[in-house]
Amino acid sequence: MSQPASKVSLTGIKPTGEPHLGNLVGAIRPALDLVKRYESIYFIADYHALTSIRDPKLLRHYTRSVAATWLAAGLDPEQTIMYRQSDIPEIFELHWALSCVTAKGLMNRAHAYKAARDQNAAAGREDLDGGINMGLYNYPVLMAVDILIMESDVVPVGKDQLQHVEYAADIAGTFNHLYGDSYQFKIPQAVIPQEDTGRTLPGLDGRKMSKSYDNTIPLFLPEGQLKKFIRRIPTDSTPVEAPKDPDSSSVFQILEQFATPDMIADTRKRLTAGGVGWGELKNQLFEVLNHEIAPMREKYHALMEPDSELETVLCEGAEKARERAQCVLSSVRSAIGIGR
Ligand code: TRP
């Protein structure tokens, strides 16, 4: 573990789908980079996923799959803490305590909740809250608890999660104002790794690769399938001999995230000169991608076996996380007048 003085970075991953290349480039790699600068905590937000996933087998599968993906991608459980949110019951106790100091109006203004209401309005439904569960409504409070209970300094998130981190800071501020003589939460700050690096990956339709666009290349496809997916990346009909613009090509943009600087420069030159067809570029992309992914794929599948060490890693992580959580919760209980 890092020196006690180092700041804490916390990342929560919601297990709602199969990992894809965009997750690796946009979220996993930048978050793993933070290990060098912060004491890093990662957890799988399975109770957050419950707001949308009602299939128990699937939820359990996604939860294990997220953990296995991060471990396969290089997360070192010796240097970090990784746990399953649902293994930390202290989170739910603090959730109630913080709900009681959180303004309902704050939740009314939350983007995800407002978007769900807008959808109802657009569909002409009379009840704008129709189909919206309390989990979705309370989601930001639970997320604030995830952040505050680990005394996080920074929270690396995508832009869509910025408001949630601001809410966490806001809720911490209210608590500190009310009970600050006894206990003060740390005020967390969001960091957006994608802006640091400018990395986003185009998907199979040229838009940003994202589960919600259904345009992803899954991370752990068998080789043959990976080849097929790469062939589906759209290209224009420029003939082989003609010069091509690397920067308007999705294939090249994906290659840029995986190839060495020398290979990127060389490929750029060859494309601009003409004589390289899209088929050839796609073969090159496959080789480069597969070279990086093959060892991860193997580790991932080994971890996904029912009796792998995955469960042990998660349980050990939960033990460490609970120690921190119990410490915070006990201070909070004493501050608010709960218990003896
Ligand atoms: N809401 C986050 C997402 O959808 C997941 C998450 C839950 C999270 N709790 C968190 C992220 C705490 C950072 C910190 O991506």
Side-chain angles (χ1 to χ4, degrees), residues 7 44 59 72 99 105 122 139 179 205 211-212 242 249-250 273 303 306:
K7 291 194 165 188
I44 302 128
L59 181 55
S99 291
Y139 189 111
Y179 299 109
D205 57 0
K211 185 177 71 86
S212 39
S249 154
S250 296
L303 286 164

Side-chain angles (χ1 to χ4, degrees), residues 10-14 43 45 48 139 143 146-147 155 157 161 164:
L10 173 115
T11 301
I13 312 112
K14 195 160 64 157
F43 73 96
H48 274 112
Y139 189 111
M143 182 155 159
D146 292 331
I147 295 169
V155 186
V157 284
Q161 297 295 314
H164 287 148

